[in-house]
Amino acid sequence: MANTVFIKPRHRVQVKPGAVVTLGQAAQIAAPDGGLIRRLKTIPLYRIQPSDKNIVIIDMMQMIRAVLDVDSSLDLQMIGPSQTIIEVVYEKRKFSSASFVLVWLLLFVGSAMAIMNFHEDVSMQQVHRHLYEMMTGQAVDKPLLLQIPYSLGLGIGMILFFNHWFRKRINEEPSPLEVEMFNYQQSIDQYVILHENKESLRPLDDA
């Protein structure tokens, strides 16, 4: 038990271009000896190359071989995921104010057009007129008594649905959009793990 080391690969790690990925970055390490943990954390696993672009997969077996090269007497216990996704983060290009305004206008106009087309398709104005006439017994062209609360409710409903007011989150519950983005990211990670891991794609006749 004295030489037992527990290693849990992290799911995703972000590094800069040209960085050397160490075991301490790619995985969590637990062992009775604190000095051993510090030594294992400095073990280099991979140096980021320009040809790697933005994704590198470090396999569990790669971690095991690197540790055993340093100390073959250790009893390694691997837990958690079998690969670590290394994401190479390049310097982001600055977004100009003009580009921001242009994108904002496109999104605003596009969203407004989508909402207006939907209301036109379902004849929402005619529905409001009929509802107003049923409730008050009077026929009017612009039933503002219904249209104003409806417009306010539409905006409040979207805020509650997406669970955000600008950058502020209303509560800790994830919004449906965040859940869909999470599922999408999980699918991407699974695809990357299967297709970027060279060990998983090795041909049968490859020695």
Side-chain angles (χ1 to χ4, degrees):
M1 184 65 182
N3 290 330
T4 301
V5 177
F6 295 91
I7 299 177
K8 181 181 180 181
R10 292 185 168 92
H11 177 67
R12 179 180 287 265
V13 176
Q14 294 182 338
V15 298
K16 294 182 179 180
V20 176
V21 181
T22 62
L23 183 63
Q25 292 173 317
Q28 296 174 279
I29 305 172
D33 186 358
L36 176 62
I37 294 177
R38 289 189 292 271
R39 184 158 59 97
L40 293 178
K41 283 184 175 181
T42 61
I43 297 178
L45 297 176
Y46 187 81
R47 178 180 290 276
I48 303 299
Q49 305 294 331
S51 59
D52 294 326
K53 297 183 179 179
N54 63 332
I55 291 293
V56 176
I57 302 297
I58 295 183
D59 192 81
M60 179 186 294
M61 295 301 297
Q62 186 176 348
M63 299 181 188
I64 294 175
R65 287 193 293 266
V67 174
L68 294 181
D69 287 342
V70 174
D71 191 343
S72 59
S73 66
L74 296 176
D75 177 21
L76 301 181
Q77 300 292 328
M78 304 296 296
I79 57 176
S82 56
Q83 297 96 358
T84 296
I85 301 174
I86 306 298
E87 180 181 358
V88 185
V89 180
Y90 295 90
E91 184 177 356
K92 294 183 179 180
R93 187 174 59 183
K94 293 184 178 180
F95 206 60
S96 65
S97 300
S99 299
F100 172 79
V101 172
L102 178 62
V103 171
W104 185 88
L105 285 174
L106 288 174
L107 292 175
F108 179 81
V109 173
S111 301
M113 291 295 295
I115 294 174
M116 288 188 292
N117 288 333
F118 167 76
H119 285 79
E120 186 65 25
D121 288 340
V122 299
S123 301
M124 185 62 69
Q125 187 175 14
Q126 193 68 25
V127 172
H128 284 169
R129 289 173 181 170
H130 287 313
L131 286 175
Y132 186 86
E133 188 175 356
M134 291 171 57
M135 294 170 59
T136 64
Q138 299 177 358
V140 294
D141 291 334
K142 297 180 180 181
L144 299 180
L145 185 64
L146 293 177
Q147 290 177 341
I148 293 175
Y150 175 80
S151 300
L152 294 175
L154 184 63
I156 295 173
M158 293 184 67
I159 292 174
L160 295 176
F161 180 81
F162 289 107
N163 196 25
H164 276 84
W165 173 251
F166 292 98
R167 291 175 177 255
K168 185 178 180 181
R169 181 187 292 270
I170 299 176
N171 54 51
E172 295 300 321
E173 181 179 350
S175 68
L177 179 62
E178 289 174 322
V179 173
E180 287 300 320
M181 291 297 295
F182 174 79
N183 292 333
Y184 176 70
Q185 185 63 54
Q186 290 290 99
S187 299
I188 290 179
D189 290 345
Q190 289 299 317
Y191 178 88
V192 167
I193 287 173
L194 291 176
H195 290 79
E196 294 291 333
N197 190 355
K198 298 180 177 60
E199 292 297 325
S200 299
L201 299 176
R202 176 170 293 183
L204 294 177
D205 58 350
D206 190 353

